[in-house]
C-alpha cells in the first residue's frame, strides 16, 4: 500500500497554485502528475476551492498531501531545555506556554511544533491557529488527504538527503522574495544568507542544486518553469 500511494506537495504562490505528485518505489521516486494553475494569493475562497477540487479529481483515492504555509506567517523561537525532567505531554505544554508568554498571545490562539537540537535547545515554530484551521478546512472540503502543513522555507531541508554533507543549505527565489534553509534554521526575506546553494534548474554562475534531481523517473511533458515546483517537490519528498 505504501508504494501505491501518491505523495504530493502543494504550494500556493504569488500568482499560481502548483502541485506535484510522486510515487515511491524500490528504485526511488517517480513523477506521476503535476499541476500549475493560475491563482492569485489573495484569490477568493471559492476560487481556491475550485482549484483544489480540480487537483483532487485527478488524484487517486490513496494519496497524501503536504501543503506549504508561508514562512512569513510563522514565528520561530529558540528555548533552552527545562531544568526539570518532563514527560512528552508535559514538555509540549511547557513549550506552548513559554512561547505564548514570550509572544504575549493567548495560548489557544497558536499552534506549535518543536524539535530538540543537539545542544539541548528547543527550536519552536508557532503559527496562528486560525490560519492553519482555515487552510485545513479548504483542503479537507476539497477532498484532499492532508498529511502535513509545513512552513515553505523549512521544506527545503527535505533536499539535504541528496546533497553533500559539507553543503550549508539551499535558497530558492520566488520573484523578488527568497526562501532559505540550513541544517539548523530556515527563513525568508529579500536576500538569502551567503554560502547557500541556489535551488534552480536554470544555468547559474555559482553552485546550484536541481530540485528535480532526487526523482529517478520523469514522465514528459515536464513543466516549462521547473523552478516553480521546488517547494512542492520538497514537500512531496518529505511525506513519509
Amino acid at each position: 500500500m505504501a508504494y501505491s500511494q501518491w505523495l504530493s506537495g502543494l504550494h500556493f504562490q504569488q500568482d499560481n497554485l502548483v502541485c506535484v505528485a510522486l510515487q515511491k518505489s524500490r528504485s526511488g521516486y517517480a513523477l506521476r502528475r503535476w499541476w500549475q494553475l493560475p491563482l492569485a494569493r489573495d484569490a477568493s475562497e471559492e476560487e481556491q476551492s475550485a482549484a483544489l477540487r480540480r487537483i483532487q479529481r485527478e488524484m487517486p483515492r490513496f494519496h497524501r498531501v503536504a501543503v506549504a504555509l508561508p514562512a512569513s506567517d510563522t514565528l520561530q523561537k529558540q528555548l533552552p531545555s527545562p531544568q526539570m525532567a518532563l514527560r512528552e505531554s508535559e514538555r509540549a505544554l511547557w513549550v506552548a506556554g513559554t512561547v505564548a508568554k514570550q509572544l504575549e498571545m493567548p495560548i489557544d490562539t497558536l499552534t506549535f511544533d518543536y524539535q530538540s537540537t543537539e545542544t539541548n535547545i528547543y527550536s519552536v515554530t508557532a503559527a496562528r491557529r486560525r490560519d492553519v484551521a482555515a487552510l485545513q478546512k479548504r483542503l479537507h472540503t476539497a477532498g484532499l488527504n492532508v498529511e502535513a502543513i509545513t512552513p515553505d522555507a523549512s521544506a527545503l531541508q527535505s533536499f539535504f538527503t541528496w546533497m553533500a554533507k559539507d553543503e550549508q543549505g539551499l535558497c530558492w527565489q520566488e520573484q523578488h522574495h527568497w526562501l532559505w534553509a540550513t541544517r539548523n534554521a530556515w527563513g525568508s526575506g529579500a536576500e538569502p544568507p551567503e554560502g547557500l546553494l541556489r535551488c534552480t534548474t536554470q544555468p547559474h554562475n555559482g553552485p546550484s542544486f536541481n530540485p528535480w534531481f532526487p526523482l529517478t523517473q520523469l514522465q514528459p511533458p515536464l513543466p516549462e518553469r521547473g523552478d516553480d515546483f521546488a517547494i512542492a517537490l520538497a514537500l512531496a519528498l518529505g511525506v513519509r
Side-chain angles (χ1 to χ4, degrees), residues 4-121:
S4 67
Q5 293 191 47
W6 282 18
L7 312 177
S8 305
L10 187 70
H11 186 202
F12 291 90
Q13 299 178 354
Q14 291 292 337
D15 53 8
N16 285 285
L17 172 62
V18 300
C19 183
V20 64
L22 311 179
Q23 195 170 34
K24 191 175 182 181
S25 67
R26 290 181 175 84
S27 61
Y29 287 92
L31 176 65
R32 287 294 173 251
R33 187 78 166 79
W34 58 267
W35 298 260
Q36 187 164 26
L37 308 178
L39 185 71
R41 181 160 285 179
D42 59 353
S44 67
E45 186 171 334
E46 291 77 12
E47 291 171 322
Q48 293 184 37
S49 297
L52 292 171
R53 285 195 299 270
R54 175 177 171 182
I55 292 173
Q56 187 275 333
R57 286 195 297 269
E58 298 175 8
M59 286 275 193
R61 176 183 176 187
F62 296 107
H63 68 269
R64 290 183 288 162
V65 177
V67 61
L69 184 71
S72 57
D73 290 348
T74 65
L75 299 166
Q76 297 182 68
K77 288 288 184 180
Q78 302 289 322
L79 299 179
S81 59
Q83 297 180 354
M84 65 196 79
L86 298 175
R87 294 192 295 269
E88 180 62 31
S89 59
E90 295 172 332
R91 190 181 304 119
L93 288 173
W94 175 82
V95 167
T98 303
V99 172
K101 184 176 181 180
Q102 290 185 3
L103 297 175
E104 298 182 345
M105 297 177 67
I107 191 172
D108 59 357
T109 65
L110 298 169
T111 184
F112 302 88
D113 188 23
Y114 69 94
Q115 58 184 0
S116 178
T117 67
E118 296 178 356
T119 57
N120 291 324
I121 298 294

